[in-house]
């Protein structure tokens, strides 16, 4: 083994020796700078943790996931708090249901897991706008990551009783997140946050920072009084990474706050993989050094609804609905080979809880469901009517932060020949579906499709349905406004005099529409190809089960799906890699018809069928292999597998 590795072992092994301090009986968690370790109740402590996001997992399954983490041998979990998940509108807070943070902390405590809390205000996490609420963008020239005092005045008092030193299970709290990766390098801002945390949580709370493994990130993301930690994955030289931490923290525990067990997917990527062998090897090496390790992610979960984030380097790239992350627990919370290998590594360093690993949740292939088209729906989804504006308004100006908005105007003159419709300033954020007199003509797309052709007659209605594909969650372009940010030019004309409709699709569907409005939903039964944005509905009967399942939309193009009022997220099978949407079993009724609603944005297939499967399909390659099989079903190991030729 390399000499550098042995040096780190020698420097940190002292932490495994018993502290000379006698236990006082008072709960405590602190940093022992002399012996390079944490102290829990005055005894040396090494945490082996995993990241889990309560915001990506239905509340019903929180206990199941936490128990599986505990049975793997973890003694802690790391948890983000997404600000926008709890304060969707300024001053309106929600900590109920799937947002009940304290219930999650309590379940972790009951399970025997300590908590490393990361309350932001910025979390990154491939989450919409990095957890920052979009309503911040209404404020001109706002410095996004600084507008946090009111939020922390609500959040941090909720956290304080859950601190380990106060009888709870939170052992440490992160201040900001990867601030060194931000374009600013503002130590006054970090001092302001430090003051807030100390005021609300007290002087004895262990506060830390996390930054990437570069000098620039560590320089701008750290601050005296906040313990500096690093993050890195399996392809990093461990000794070099911890040497960098040592330059900023000469004494204290070694900490990898984000050890990457997998990676995220964007639409158009191959599904990310990190091998089990790499994860096991590097984890074992870090634990041998006495390092404290948090595995990111341990379970990824799902970007339900509109919560996915996006990246913008050379172009805008949206994160897929699945946040499976190739993690030890799958998107549906099932143990994987990687989890079992990790447990075998942990066994070498601490006792594993006795008893079997909880099994995978049951899955069921409910089969095919045929949908039917819903007649014109835009007015139904915008009951307050349009806002009229000479020039386009953004989502933020309309106070509609997620989903879809409809921009409507008329053709200023006859266009007998195809005429270019141009977004000259790349102002479509993020995709615009263009129809003239109800006939779909094509789309404009941020960064990649800034021109399309239009034909029609003077006075024809132009409808532009704009989709927010998720705000940038990382880097300098995080001020990510949505909608039509600039004028559209048609030939030589600037399009003006807009009627702008905020579409409350989620509110309508949660209220039972369109299934409760049958008279509006009886088109002819003739099946035909349908292009452009259209809504489809269907039901599938109960069968006595409410098990997890996976929805496949073969030959559908791109859109959004709701089941029993819950927004499952986006589908885009042609782009991939994700081919199925995870449907949590508790969402389904075992004794009442289950409603499914699909907003297809580009083109539905003639068959109008969707398929519920008993397994996920997250890689385009898998889809290509399946296309070579014969159609039909096959019983293998008593699990029905549907072939996807429909």
């Amino acid at each position: 083994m390399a000499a550098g590795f042995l040096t780190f072992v020698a420097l940190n092994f002292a932490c495994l020796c018993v502290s000379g301090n006698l236990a006082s009986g008072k709960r405590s968690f602190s940093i022992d700078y002399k012996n390079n370790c944490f102290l829990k109740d005055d005894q040396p402590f090494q945490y082996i943790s995993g990241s889990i996001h309560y915001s990506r997992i239905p509340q019903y399954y929180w206990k199941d996931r936490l128990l599986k983490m505990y049975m793997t041998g973890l003694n802690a979990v790391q948890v983000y708090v997404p600000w926008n998940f709890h304060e969707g509108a300024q001053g309106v807070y929600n900590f109920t249901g799937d947002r009940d943070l304290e219930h999650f902390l309590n379940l972790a405590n009951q399970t025997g897991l300590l908590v490393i809390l990361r309350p932001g205000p910025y979390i990154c996490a491939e989450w919409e706008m990095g957890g920052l609420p979009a309503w911040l963008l209404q404020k001109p020239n706002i410095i996004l990551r600084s507008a946090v005092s009111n939020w922390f005045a609500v959040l941090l008092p909720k956290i304080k009783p859950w601190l380990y030193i106060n009888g709870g299970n939170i052992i440490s709290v992160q201040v900001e997140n990867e601030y060194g990766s931000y374009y600013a390098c503002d130590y006054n801002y970090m001092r302001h946050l430090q003051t807030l945390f100390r005021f609300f949580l007290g002087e004895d709370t262990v506060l830390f920072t996390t930054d990437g493994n570069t000098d620039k990130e560590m320089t701008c993301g750290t601050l005296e009084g906040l313990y500096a930690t690093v993050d890195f994955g399996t392809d990093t030289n461990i000794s070099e990474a911890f040497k960098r931490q040592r330059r900023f923290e000469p004494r204290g525990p070694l900490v990898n706050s984000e050890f990457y067990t997998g990676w995220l997917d964007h639409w158009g990527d191959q599904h990310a993989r990190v091998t089990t062998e790499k994860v096991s090897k590097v984890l074992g090496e870090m634990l041998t050094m006495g390092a404290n390790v948090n595995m990111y992610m341990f379970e990824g979960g799902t970007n339900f609804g509109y919560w996915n984030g996006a990246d913008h380097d050379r172009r805008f790239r949206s994160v897929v609905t699945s946040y499976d992350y190739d993690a030890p627990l799958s998107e549906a919370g099932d143990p994987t080979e990687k989890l079992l290998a990790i447990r075998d590594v942990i066994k070498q360093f601490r006792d594993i809880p006795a008893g079997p690993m909880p099994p995978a949740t049951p899955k069921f292939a409910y089969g095919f469901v045929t949908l039917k088209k819903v007649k014109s729906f835009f007015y139904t989804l915008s009951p307050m009517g349009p806002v009229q504006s000479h020039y386009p308004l953004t989502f933020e100006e309309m106070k509609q932060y997620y989903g879809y908005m409809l921009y409507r105007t008329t053709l200023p003159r006859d266009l007998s020949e195809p005429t270019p419709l141009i977004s000259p300033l790349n102002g479509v954020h993020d995709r615009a579906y263009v129809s003239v007199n109800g006939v779909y003509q094509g789309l404009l797309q941020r960064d990649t499709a800034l021109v399309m052709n239009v034909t029609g007659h003077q006075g024809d209605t132009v409808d532009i349905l704009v989709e927010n594909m998720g705000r940038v969650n990382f880097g300098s372009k995080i001020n990510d406004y949505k909608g039509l940010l600039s004028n559209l030019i048609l030939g030589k004309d600037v399009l003006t005099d807009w009627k702008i409709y905020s579409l409350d699709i989620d509110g309508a569907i949660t209220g039972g529409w369109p299934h409760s409005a049958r008279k509006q939903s009886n088109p002819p039964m003739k099946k035909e190809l349908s292009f452009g944005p259209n809504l489809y509905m269907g039901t599938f009967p109960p069968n006595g089960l409410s098990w997890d399942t996976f929805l496949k939309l073969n030959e559908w193009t791109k859109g959004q799906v709701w089941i029993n009022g819950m927004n499952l997220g986006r589908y885009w099978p042609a782009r991939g890699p994700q081919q199925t949407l995870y449907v949590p079993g508790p969402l389904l009724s075992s004794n009442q018809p289950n409603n499914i609603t699909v907003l297809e944005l580009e083109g539905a297939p003639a068959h109008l069928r969707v398929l519920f499967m008993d397994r996920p399909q997250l890689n385009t390659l898998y889809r290509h292999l399946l296309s070579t099989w014969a159609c039909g079903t096959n019983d293998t190991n008593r699990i029905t597998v549907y072939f996807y030729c429909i």
Side-chain angles (χ1 to χ4, degrees), residues 31-100:
I31 295 173
D32 183 345
Y33 290 96
K34 179 180 179 181
N35 292 307
N36 296 325
C37 65
F38 290 114
L39 292 178
K40 178 172 167 285
D41 299 332
D42 293 327
Q43 299 298 310
F45 178 76
Q46 178 186 29
Y47 69 68
I48 307 173
S49 170
S51 287
I52 179 172
H53 298 161
Y54 63 92
S55 55
R56 286 178 159 126
I57 301 167
Q59 184 191 66
Y60 180 90
Y61 279 140
W62 289 352
K63 185 173 182 179
D64 171 81
R65 308 311 196 246
L66 290 168
L67 181 59
K68 287 170 180 170
M69 298 173 80
Y70 176 78
M71 295 302 293
T72 304
L74 305 187
N75 55 13
V77 294
Q78 192 190 85
V79 182
Y80 274 135
V81 181
W83 180 4
N84 54 11
F85 196 58
H86 295 284
E87 191 181 1
Q90 186 172 10
V92 180
Y93 302 99
N94 187 349
F95 288 92
T96 63
D98 289 344
R99 293 168 169 80
D100 192 341

Side-chain angles (χ1 to χ4, degrees), residues 263-432:
W263 202 246
L264 66 141
D265 293 338
H266 301 98
W267 292 111
D269 293 346
Q270 284 288 320
H271 179 48
R273 297 285 190 189
V274 176
T275 68
T276 295
E277 292 74 21
K278 281 186 175 182
V279 171
S280 299
K281 177 178 180 292
V282 178
L283 176 63
E285 290 175 355
M286 288 189 291
L287 295 180
T288 299
M289 298 168 71
N292 299 265
V293 180
N294 174 72
M295 286 167 272
Y296 189 102
M297 295 292 300
F298 207 84
E299 182 191 357
T302 307
N303 294 312
F304 293 113
Y306 310 113
W307 290 120
N308 67 276
D311 283 303
H312 198 300
D313 32 42
R314 290 171 297 178
R315 60 182 176 83
F316 177 82
R317 297 186 299 150
S318 182
V319 174
V320 305
T321 300
S322 170
Y323 200 63
D324 177 82
Y325 213 84
D326 195 33
L329 285 171
S330 74
E331 179 181 7
D334 297 336
T336 66
E337 175 189 342
K338 188 175 288 183
L339 179 140
L340 300 178
I342 287 170
R343 184 173 63 172
D344 287 341
V345 172
I346 295 174
K347 282 180 182 177
Q348 303 172 39
F349 299 91
R350 66 184 304 263
D351 292 336
I352 298 292
M357 174 67 63
T361 54
K363 311 294 189 296
F364 191 77
Y366 294 89
F368 291 107
V369 176
T370 300
L371 309 184
K372 59 184 179 180
K373 186 176 176 181
V374 177
K375 289 183 178 179
S376 179
F377 59 91
F378 285 135
Y379 291 110
T380 303
L381 301 177
S382 187
M384 300 300 292
V387 170
Q388 299 193 28
S389 176
H390 190 62
Y391 296 113
L393 301 175
T394 65
F395 276 53
E396 294 75 22
E397 289 171 318
M398 292 285 291
K399 296 186 178 181
Q400 162 138 355
Y401 305 117
Y402 311 108
Y404 306 85
M405 289 205 319
L406 177 67
Y407 296 77
R408 176 170 285 172
T409 187
T410 57
L411 290 182
R413 55 189 172 85
D414 288 339
L415 303 174
S416 57
E417 297 294 327
T419 303
L421 176 65
I422 307 171
S423 174
L425 299 178
N426 195 17
V428 171
H429 286 197
D430 300 303
R431 285 169 66 89

Side-chain angles (χ1 to χ4, degrees), residues 20 22 53 99 144 163 406 494 512 541:
L22 296 176
H53 298 161
R99 293 168 169 80
L144 283 178
L163 296 174
L406 177 67
V494 175

